[in-house]
Amino acid sequence: MSIGRRSVLQGLVLAPLSRATANPLCSGEKLPALTVEDAEVFRVKVNERGNWTIVRLNTSGGVTGIGDASQSGNDSQTLAYVKQFAELLRGQSIFAAEWLRKATAPTIARQGRIAAVAASALEQCLWDIQGKAFSAPTYDLFGGRIQERIRVYANINRSTEERTPEGFARMAEKAIAASFDAVKLAPFDEMPPGLTDKAQVERFMARGIACAAAVRQTIGPKRDLLIDVHSRMDLEHGLELARRFEPLKLFWIEEVTPAKPVENLAQINKVATMETAGGESIYGVRGFYPYIKAEAVDIVMPDVKVCGGMIELKKIAGLAEGAGLVTSPHGPASPVGNLTAAHVISTVTNFNILEFSYGEVPWRAELIDPPEQIADSALVLSNRPGLGHVLNEKTAAKYAVS
Ligand SMILES: [Mg+2]
């Protein structure tokens, strides 16, 4: 969809900021007075690890924007919050991103992730709309693009059903054939959280390391191997695991122990010879502050769907930059979530690599129009207005959650 000046002008004529509840500090007279009308939700079936939920926000001038509300852990509760927060936004300026952040913070403080994902999705929609309103790519609204290449790694964990060294290796091979030069797996998922029995932990540890070794063998020494431990280890086993992974030359090891107490992650970070990464479940710059201050990881992983949205992602990246850390957005996501993260992260100096969930559904790229494009292990960002893509309603209808 192309949105030209005319739609903006129509917005000016048709939708003055008239509601008493509108934020008086947003949208001066010289700015196009587009206001939010309502939200639509599109749910598509992916796999047992979760479906994708796309939110589309409509405005007074006909300009629309999309955002990703997937993977909250409870889609129906998140949809209730999408509805509630969209109601708050009704009649507000399309620039009310900070206003939305402030207005939703108390609910998110009480309800956590299910509400945070809803607010983040609506916030993403606003930035898509703003870009279209100004005929500018959204990254220009975030300070302008400085990262030419948005390098991505293939997370093969969600698509590998045969969870053996051979099964992971086969999926890694496919990812390489699809141009990826970095691969991540979480080979300890079968280990029950909180397990401490030495013999049992050893069994899971040996099996997980064997899976990682098989992938390293397949991808060769020049491509990057990333391991996510999904917080399965305690401190003692975590330290041992980091040591035993040394010969595999990991790009990073992620979330070795649970996020709390943060001192355990910090201890592993201090001792591990490879880089450590984490933070995918943390909301907001205030949530990241103690994590970064405690030196929990070398690489922070805010998720644009969970952390509060695009402006929050930029703030978190700034906090990380101040601490001398790298930002690698977490991102098993629909193509929309990866796009919104990519637009922001293309404007920061301390970007490293973006997560991409490889191989979940064959029609993934077609969920947006023009289709998502991965080339040479990078997500191709366009300079079209807004996010540069719209939802492909045909694909969304074809794979809709019934
Ligand atoms: Mg992770």
Side-chain angles (χ1 to χ4, degrees), residues 44 192 296:
V44 292

Side-chain angles (χ1 to χ4, degrees), residues 184 228 230 254-255 280 301 330 355:
K184 184 169 101 178
D228 191 345
H230 277 161
E254 178 178 335
E255 307 214 319
E280 66 189 57
M301 299 181 68
H330 177 256
E355 183 160 14

Side-chain angles (χ1 to χ4, degrees), residues 23-279:
N23 178 2
L25 302 176
C26 253
S27 265
E29 281 172 14
K30 288 179 186 165
L31 295 171
L34 289 176
T35 56
V36 173
E37 288 194 332
D38 56 10
E40 299 168 88
V41 170
F42 301 83
R43 298 181 66 205
V44 292
K45 182 109 191 83
V46 179
N47 57 31
E48 72 285 349
R49 283 184 179 254
N51 297 321
W52 292 332
T53 303
I54 311 301
V55 178
R56 187 167 67 190
L57 210 53
N58 298 313
T59 64
S60 53
V63 187
T64 64
I66 50 177
D68 192 340
S70 309
Q71 295 151 355
S72 68
N74 188 321
D75 287 345
S76 59
Q77 286 185 25
T78 292
L79 289 182
Y81 285 112
V82 167
K83 205 173 159 196
Q84 185 182 319
F85 296 157
E87 205 47 52
L88 281 179
L89 267 180
R90 186 190 293 272
Q92 294 290 344
S93 154
I94 61 166
F95 303 104
E98 285 285 4
W99 180 91
L100 177 69
R101 177 180 188 256
K102 194 175 162 191
T104 55
T107 309
I108 294 169
R110 284 194 309 275
Q111 305 299 333
R113 183 180 178 111
I114 47 169
V117 169
S120 300
L122 289 164
E123 196 258 10
Q124 294 164 53
C125 294
L126 290 177
W127 290 106
D128 187 19
I129 292 165
Q130 290 176 34
K132 287 171 173 173
F134 285 117
S135 293
T138 296
Y139 54 68
D140 275 349
L141 307 180
F142 278 88
R145 184 173 175 178
I146 53 171
Q147 299 288 346
E148 197 178 323
R149 181 166 181 251
I150 306 300
R151 188 185 182 207
V152 289
Y153 61 87
N155 177 343
I156 60 169
N157 201 55
R158 301 170 77 90
S159 52
T160 304
E161 284 175 9
E162 191 198 326
R163 303 183 68 80
T164 61
E166 299 75 28
F168 279 114
R170 264 194 296 277
M171 192 57 79
E173 208 166 355
K174 287 187 192 171
I176 290 169
S179 95
F180 289 91
D181 64 13
V183 173
K184 184 169 101 178
L185 61 154
F188 306 99
D189 280 1
E190 286 68 34
M191 177 174 160
L195 190 69
T196 52
D197 178 82
K198 275 206 171 309
Q200 286 193 55
V201 172
E202 172 55 32
R203 197 162 54 83
F204 286 110
M205 211 188 265
R207 187 185 163 87
I209 293 170
C211 291
V215 171
R216 169 54 85 199
Q217 178 80 23
T218 301
I219 67 176
K222 287 188 179 151
R223 297 188 183 90
D224 288 317
L225 175 62
L226 295 71
I227 295 295
D228 191 345
V229 187
H230 277 161
S231 308
R232 289 303 196 272
M233 301 295 160
D234 59 15
L235 177 60
E236 182 193 346
H237 289 113
L239 289 167
E240 182 190 335
L241 185 65
R243 188 175 46 74
R244 285 168 69 175
F245 264 131
E246 282 173 14
L248 291 184
K249 306 274 181 235
L250 302 187
F251 187 78
W252 79 44
I253 191 165
E254 178 178 335
E255 307 214 319
V256 178
T257 64
K260 288 181 182 165
V262 72
E263 291 76 20
N264 286 353
L265 283 175
Q267 178 68 16
I268 290 167
N269 188 30
K270 201 170 167 187
V271 173
T273 55
M274 69 283 283
E275 305 246 75
T276 68

